[in-house]
């Protein structure tokens, strides 16, 4: 019994170290100049979940998260008050450009300028939209995320 408990303790101490070994996302840290941030995005943007997004890729929209089912993180550039309507749920949009929006001092939010088939383009706050389900990741990536969450839940059960 003593050997089993020491094995569980050592395994639980290793899990945080394993999570830090993953591929780091293309996060643009504060203090980076706008020109350097834009040049980093020319190769694409890798989200914290490991999904690499590039210009020309298609994004599949999920459901809007606002009370009226419009999209909180997909809006017209001119004003954040003009959110994408709920009728866009389930549609695909093409990325025209990736932009780093923000300031050198406070850091950047990665924005995808997308073509939605209208006169104006919309801006998508990539990380926030993915987190809230307004953008759906590719099936193979979401299956891997579900498998990793299932494995983590099983490991936590074993430790208890």
């Amino acid at each position: 019994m003593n050997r089993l408990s020491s094995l569980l303790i050592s395994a639980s101490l290793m899990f945080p170290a394993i999570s830090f070994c993953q591929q780091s996302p293309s996060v643009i840290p504060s203090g980076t100049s706008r020109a350097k941030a834009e040049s980093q995005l020319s190769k694409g943007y890798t989200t914290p979940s490991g999904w690499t997004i590039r210009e020309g890729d298609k994004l599949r929209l999920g459901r809007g998260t606002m009370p009226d089912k419009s999209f909180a993180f997909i809006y017209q550039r001119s004003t954040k008050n003009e959110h994408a309507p709920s009728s866009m749920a389930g549609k695909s949009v093409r990325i025209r450009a990736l932009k780093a929006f923000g300031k050198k001092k406070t850091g950047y939010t990665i924005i995808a300028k997308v073509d939605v088939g209208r006169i104006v383009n919309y801006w998508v706050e990539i990380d926030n939209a993915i987190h809230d389900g307004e953008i759906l990741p590719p099936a193979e990536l979401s299956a891997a995320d579900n498998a990793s969450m299932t494995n983590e839940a099983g490991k936590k059960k074993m430790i208890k």
Side-chain angles (χ1 to χ4, degrees), residues 67-125:
D68 65 350
K69 305 295 181 207
S70 62
F71 291 81
F73 301 108
I74 303 174
Y75 48 85
Q76 287 184 14
R77 180 194 185 280
S78 58
T79 64
K80 279 192 168 184
N81 296 332
E82 193 67 40
H83 295 277
S86 62
S87 61
M88 289 178 54
K91 297 192 178 187
S92 291
V93 296
R94 185 171 303 279
I95 298 175
R96 288 184 157 224
L98 292 171
K99 301 211 174 272
F101 190 72
K103 297 180 180 176
K104 181 178 178 179
K105 186 174 182 177
T106 57
Y108 299 95
T109 299
I110 307 306
I111 302 288
K113 180 179 165 184
V114 297
D115 179 12
V116 297
R118 297 183 181 184
I119 294 173
V120 296
N121 293 312
Y122 280 80
W123 280 24
V124 178
E125 294 179 17

